[in-house]
Amino acid sequence: MLKDRHLIDPSDFSLEELNEVFTLAEKIIKNPKEFSHICDNKILATLFYEPSTRTRFSFESAMMKLGGSVLGFSEPNSTSASKGETLADTITMVSIYSDIIAMRHPKEGSARVASLYSNSPVINAGDGGHQHPTQTLTDLLTIKELKGDLKNKVIGICGDLKYGRTVHSLIKAMSRYEGNEFVLISPKELRIPEYIREEILVKNNIKFKEVEKLEDVIDEVDILYMTRIQKERFFNEEEYIRLKDSYVLDMEKMDKAKNDMIVMHPLPRVNEISVEVDKDSRAKYFAQAEYGMYVRMALICKLLGVA
Ligand code: CP
């Protein structure tokens, strides 16, 4: 039962519950009109303490397509947070004015804190370098729709594996499905954090390898998940400048990949996927962002208990 639950970490939902969300998303994709008034009179609050294009707009679009309304902010300085109001008090107030809350915040753990003060379901829309569970729902639905299922895949993840929260969430989530293995491609400075390596991969006997060169392994993967080097999480600008162009996926590299490999990216991209790749039928990152809207529609319905 997902009604009135929070979504803070992808592992908050069982595999059966995730499947419930995906099944509903698939129904919405097939027949969106059937759902166009299902959230009449419901209000989604979007509290974005950090910049966003896809997550905020897709949440807002999702709620509007379900017949509901949206309030919120994308600039915390326009709220009483700028006068020193605590997150706890802001959430207490917003949960009075709305039925469901999606929040992005730069501090790890902030979404969990928000859930303690909210009478409405809280959805973590990204907390610092920690988790981004609705991106994970987006990624899983994309893989399910485009590769048939979520099992027995070789998943290459390339770029900033240290700070990229979508990477941490994706590894945690795909490790729960049978037979998946990972090829982790990053500069040594940006490898996955120790807790992901030890607590998720090693402990669960998941097959993985860590390499530095994309071109050496691109022919092995079923899914190539490219990521941006996360400038905003670096403490040292010189190090960011040194590492920022570590990987550029171009057609020369794409020519070495499998014909049915798919390229994903949570977006925004900077330089890591050359625009020439956009025309390749294996480039699925814009389709992925669209699946993100449908999966958020399904999630809102489930947490509000309307479908
Ligand atoms: N993928 C993602 O979270 O994009 P935004 O930062 O634009 O929301």
Side-chain angles (χ1 to χ4, degrees):
M1 186 70 173
L2 291 171
K3 184 172 183 302
D4 296 330
R5 296 260 297 275
H6 304 293
L7 176 59
I8 308 303
D9 183 297
S11 52
D12 289 345
F13 288 3
S14 66
L15 294 188
E16 291 71 29
E17 288 166 340
L18 288 174
N19 208 40
E20 250 186 76
V21 176
F22 300 144
T23 303
L24 180 58
E26 283 159 0
K27 278 191 192 162
I28 296 171
I29 292 169
K30 283 198 185 107
N31 192 358
K33 274 200 184 138
E34 191 189 318
F35 298 87
S36 61
H37 287 288
I38 202 163
C39 286
D40 281 356
N41 302 316
K42 300 285 187 193
I43 298 175
L44 165 74
T46 53
L47 313 186
F48 277 67
Y49 293 83
E50 267 197 340
S52 165
T53 301
R54 274 144 297 275
T55 310
R56 185 167 71 87
F57 291 148
S58 66
F59 261 119
E60 296 187 355
S61 175
M63 190 48 148
M64 290 176 198
K65 281 174 184 274
L66 295 168
S69 309
V70 176
L71 55 81
F73 59 82
S74 56
E75 176 43 77
N77 287 337
S78 69
T79 75
S80 288
S82 65
K83 296 180 231 165
E85 184 167 67
T86 62
L87 179 62
D89 284 356
T90 302
I91 293 294
T92 302
M93 295 315 307
V94 172
S95 79
I96 292 170
Y97 302 141
S98 63
D99 301 292
I100 185 164
I101 297 171
M103 185 182 86
R104 172 172 290 186
H105 197 283
K107 281 205 183 124
E108 281 87 354
S110 53
R112 184 74 70 195
V113 170
S115 71
L116 301 176
Y117 293 91
S118 177
N119 294 319
S120 316
V122 172
I123 303 168
N124 180 6
D127 60 332
H130 189 218
Q131 296 288 343
H132 190 353
T134 62
Q135 182 65 47
T136 310
L137 296 187
T138 300
D139 298 341
L140 266 53
L141 180 65
T142 305
I143 295 169
K144 190 167 183 293
E145 293 300 293
L146 300 180
K147 299 297 287 180
D149 59 33
L150 294 165
K151 296 182 291 186
N152 303 317
K153 306 286 181 279
V154 180
I155 306 150
I157 309 183
C158 177
D160 185 348
L161 312 191
K162 179 178 180 183
Y163 296 116
R165 59 190 168 201
T166 63
V167 169
H168 308 159
S169 295
L170 183 67
I171 293 173
K172 275 178 99 169
M174 286 303 280
S175 294
R176 297 169 81 190
Y177 295 90
E178 191 186 311
N180 288 325
E181 51 188 271
F182 297 93
V183 181
L184 302 170
I185 309 144
S186 72
K188 56 182 181 317
E189 296 87 344
L190 297 177
R191 282 185 186 160
I192 49 165
E194 196 60 19
Y195 81 95
I196 298 281
R197 186 181 301 103
E198 293 305 318
E199 295 298 314
I200 309 293
L201 297 172
V202 175
K203 209 175 198 173
N204 294 301
N205 263 330
I206 311 284
K207 208 169 156 192
F208 74 100
K209 63 178 174 184
E210 295 181 276
V211 299
E212 287 188 37
K213 280 195 158 182
L214 174 57
E215 48 273 44
D216 289 351
V217 290
I218 194 166
D219 60 334
E220 298 173 22
V221 304
D222 302 311
I223 296 154
L224 177 60
Y225 194 94
M226 295 296 295
T227 64
R228 174 177 67 90
I229 307 293
Q230 304 264 313
K231 181 180 183 184
E232 63 277 29
R233 316 249 179 252
F234 275 73
F235 295 109
N236 177 338
E237 187 163 1
E238 270 172 32
E239 177 151 90
Y240 168 72
I241 290 166
R242 187 169 59 80
L243 296 173
K244 74 184 173 68
D245 294 321
S246 298
Y247 301 100
V248 181
L249 179 64
D250 54 18
M251 283 314 296
E252 198 185 324
K253 294 190 188 78
M254 287 291 283
D255 286 344
K256 295 188 180 135
K258 293 180 187 176
N259 289 335
D260 63 349
M261 183 268 289
I262 60 170
V263 183
M264 297 173 64
H265 190 310
L267 304 177
R269 71 172 150 189
V270 186
N271 285 327
E272 59 279 1
I273 302 179
S274 163
V275 289
E276 66 182 1
V277 177
D278 297 359
K279 293 196 198 82
D280 191 293
S281 60
R282 295 167 293 179
K284 298 298 184 190
Y285 26 92
F286 295 122
Q288 180 185 353
E290 187 174 355
Y291 284 123
M293 181 185 69
Y294 290 116
V295 90
R296 289 179 176 104
M297 288 171 82
L299 178 66
I300 291 169
C301 289
K302 286 290 174 191
L303 299 185
L304 290 176
V306 296

